Amino acid sequence: MIIRKQYKFSAGHIVRNCSSDRCKRSLHGHNYIVEVFFTSTGLDNGHMILDFGLTKGTIKDFIDGFDHCWQYWNKDKKVKEFVRKESARWIEIPVSPSAEQYSLLFMFVIDKIIQATEMNNGEKNVQVSSVRVHETDTGYAEAFRDDLDWVKYSLEDIKLSEQVKAEWKDPEMYDKLIAYTNKDTMDKPFVNEIVEQQV
């Protein structure tokens, strides 16, 4: 069984080394739709794979960090210099910001978030099974679990501006995720509330 949660953000980028002149030579933006698909080995105490309410914390905040934000490839020095000077909201990524790379990056980070979350309502091995990123009305890219083998970077390689982090419910969320992933702490940094059983 699979469940799906949808998110939206509007953002700007430039995609270097692609075939389209408009994409590779001009800063531009899109209204993105992100679909995150979850699976598990069974249902929780509420007879769900994962309560949709639990996706409104760290996962929503991370994706929302991309909203009204410039994303740029860390190798693109000219754009990096301009964006960091002119925008309070930016995200530096270790790959070109194509729809394919967004789907893979979100898959990678959300997978780490799920691993770093203490589940407290009988959830059974919840995993993100795929992430689909719609860049336009007619095109999307979708990354699957097997595609995580393509990731050759770490969480530290994704840099977020202080303004992006300041607007989250927990401005230290990403730092906590890095610390847990690097085994600097064994305590899971994200804890879902314990649900009182009513029946």
Side-chain angles (χ1 to χ4, degrees):
M1 183 178 292
I2 293 175
I3 61 170
R4 164 196 166 271
K5 182 66 176 172
Q6 178 177 293
Y7 305 88
K8 295 179 180 182
F9 70 93
S10 300
H13 68 177
I14 188 167
V15 183
R16 300 294 193 191
N17 303 337
C18 69
S19 301
S20 167
D21 268 350
R22 285 186 177 183
C23 291
K24 70 183 177 186
R25 297 189 189 280
S26 300
L27 291 167
H28 62 283
H30 299 279
N31 294 316
Y32 292 90
I33 296 173
V34 179
E35 296 177 272
V36 182
F37 298 86
F38 299 94
T39 188
S40 75
T41 55
L43 301 177
D44 67 10
N45 295 333
H47 298 212
M48 303 173 177
I49 284 177
L50 179 68
D51 191 319
F52 284 133
L54 298 176
T55 66
K56 294 179 181 177
T58 50
I59 294 170
K60 180 181 182 295
D61 274 356
F62 182 75
I63 295 172
D64 187 63
F66 284 72
D67 189 53
H68 285 71
C69 180
W70 286 104
Q71 290 97 52
Y72 61 87
W73 188 6
N74 63 3
K75 292 184 178 183
D76 198 338
K77 305 300 183 193
K78 289 182 181 179
V79 171
K80 176 179 179 175
E81 183 179 321
F82 170 76
V83 167
R84 285 199 174 196
K85 179 181 176 187
E86 299 296 333
S87 180
R89 292 180 56 81
W90 52 262
I91 298 176
E92 178 180 305
I93 59 177
V95 291
S96 186
S98 64
E100 291 84 347
Q101 288 290 9
Y102 282 131
S103 65
L104 193 55
L105 185 141
F106 289 138
M107 177 83 185
F108 173 67
V109 175
I110 294 168
D111 183 59
K112 299 291 186 194
I113 289 172
I114 293 291
Q115 292 175 37
T117 301
E118 181 181 311
M119 304 286 182
N120 284 307
N121 197 29
E123 292 88 354
K124 295 175 177 58
N125 194 30
V126 174
Q127 291 187 321
V128 56
S129 59
S130 69
V131 175
R132 183 180 294 165
V133 174
H134 299 256
E135 191 171 81
T136 66
D137 290 341
T138 59
Y140 69 78
E142 187 167 3
F144 298 89
R145 288 202 68 77
D146 289 347
D147 300 332
L148 287 173
D149 292 339
W150 297 6
V151 174
K152 305 302 179 199
Y153 52 84
S154 69
L155 293 172
E156 291 93 337
D157 295 323
I158 303 166
K159 314 269 190 229
L160 305 114
S161 74
E162 290 306 312
Q163 185 61 41
V164 166
K165 293 189 279 188
E167 294 178 23
W168 291 338
K169 291 180 192 93
D170 179 1
E172 296 179 2
M173 180 261 291
Y174 200 70
D175 296 326
K176 291 175 181 177
L177 182 61
I178 289 172
Y180 179 76
T181 302
N182 291 340
K183 306 297 183 209
D184 294 340
T185 176
M186 297 308 289
D187 296 329
K188 292 191 176 189
F190 315 126
V191 181
N192 293 340
E193 66 180 78
I194 296 174
V195 178
E196 178 185 342
Q197 301 304 309
Q198 298 165 318
V199 177

